[in-house]
Amino acid sequence: MKLANIRIVMVETTHPGNIGACARAMKNMGLSRLHLVKPARFPDNEAFARAAGASDLLDQAVVCDSLAQAVETCGVVIGASARRRSIAWPEFNPRECAEFVAPQSDEVDIAIVFGRESSGLTNEELDCCSHLVHIPSNEAFSSLNVAAAIQVVCYELRMQLLQGEGVQGEQAVLDQLATSEELEGMYEQMQQVLIEIDFLDADKPRKLMRRLRRLYNRTALERREVNILRGILSAAQRQARLAADSQ
Ligand code: SAH
């Protein structure tokens, strides 16, 4: 397990104190890579004050314009959500999340994404995520402070590290997972083909693409598998165009 390949992404954090508390929580647990998507105030004295001895993480924090940019190179993107969603993404609790992440982190970059204090993550941002992690808190009062949520998730990652690499054998046979960018390319092509073969109505897409993402996300697609699927899509597209031309 490589904690160095695991990044924490905070999306549009309002309070710089939370960014500092996050840096401290991460460093306590041995994580070091912090990405900030459009933070309201950063750098900021309050962030450094709350980080205590973890200001090095703030110095190295990467500030991004969009979530897509923050997770571009990642093979696994997990969104932390305080709420259950209308379409259930595959959902972990923090322990299951850490068990899943541990073997993958040897191979690919991994992002765990935390939302705004006021409103969490949007559905579009969740579309960038292959899985959700939910801390099974009191259902009547489920939302933790964002830095506290990060602490819980990072603690479970550390526990996995300390437990050693027991689950690695099974995962070692896996090929390299496709990156978020490669998956986005596939979904784009898929949508295009589904429109061309009249399966998807561009004016009434409903939730088809989101449901397909959910289906594929459950399988943790490898790069080679994405290439096969894209090959099939291209072949379907060629046939559809030939059929259209001969009409
Ligand atoms: N009011 C917001 C909650 C924001 S809390 C909402 O209803 O969505 C800020 C962030 O902390 C969330 O976006 C999430 O990433 C994280 N968080 C808070 N509570 C959590 C929980 N129980 N499980 C997982 N993540 C949680």
Side-chain angles (χ1 to χ4, degrees), residues 175 178 186 189-190 216 221-236 238:
D175 244 339
M186 179 184 80
Q189 185 185 5
M190 190 175 291
Y216 286 114
L221 285 173
E222 293 165 13
R223 176 166 297 157
R224 229 184 292 180
E225 294 165 335
V226 166
N227 288 338
I228 293 171
L229 287 169
R230 293 199 68 162
I232 295 172
L233 289 170
S234 299
R238 273 196 302 278

Side-chain angles (χ1 to χ4, degrees), residues 79-83 85 113-121 133-137 142-147 149 153:
S81 175
R83 289 173 282 157
R85 303 285 166 161
V113 184
F114 293 82
R116 300 156 186 79
E117 293 94 330
S118 55
S119 55
L121 294 167
V133 57
H134 174 71
I135 300 163
S137 44
S142 66
S143 170
L144 279 75
N145 165 270
V146 63
V153 169

